[in-house]
Amino acid sequence: MAYRFWCGECGFKTPWLSESQGSDRQLEHYEKQHPGIPPGGHVEVNRKNPEGGGCLPVLGIVVLLLIIAAACQR
């Protein structure tokens, strides 16, 4: 999944990133733009992220290759 962090003090938002990258960018923003204020705002989750497919496509390819290998040995 991808995450976008929004600043609670201004209109800043991070690009879609991993959770740790987005959090780091938000912290950097607060240190530069709002020193002394604890980070706030909200986090938006992109559940339609193409990178969020997990291992299911890889598992499907492995099964398909095993079927092809088994069929070629007959």
Side-chain angles (χ1 to χ4, degrees), residues 5 12-15 17 19-31:
F5 286 73
F12 173 80
K13 62 183 175 191
T14 67
L17 300 167
E19 189 172 11
S20 61
Q21 291 172 326
S23 177
D24 290 345
R25 290 259 185 109
Q26 185 187 39
L27 287 173
E28 290 170 7
H29 168 76
Y30 265 85
E31 288 173 356

Side-chain angles (χ1 to χ4, degrees), residues 26-73:
Q26 185 187 39
L27 287 173
E28 290 170 7
H29 168 76
Y30 265 85
E31 288 173 356
K32 291 178 184 175
Q33 301 298 321
H34 313 291
I37 299 175
H42 67 277
V43 180
E44 185 178 0
V45 179
N46 182 358
R47 298 186 191 280
K48 294 182 181 179
N49 180 18
E51 296 177 29
C55 64
L56 190 58
V58 175
L59 183 59
I61 291 170
V62 169
V63 170
L64 181 62
L65 290 174
L66 288 173
I67 292 170
I68 291 171
C72 290
Q73 290 190 1

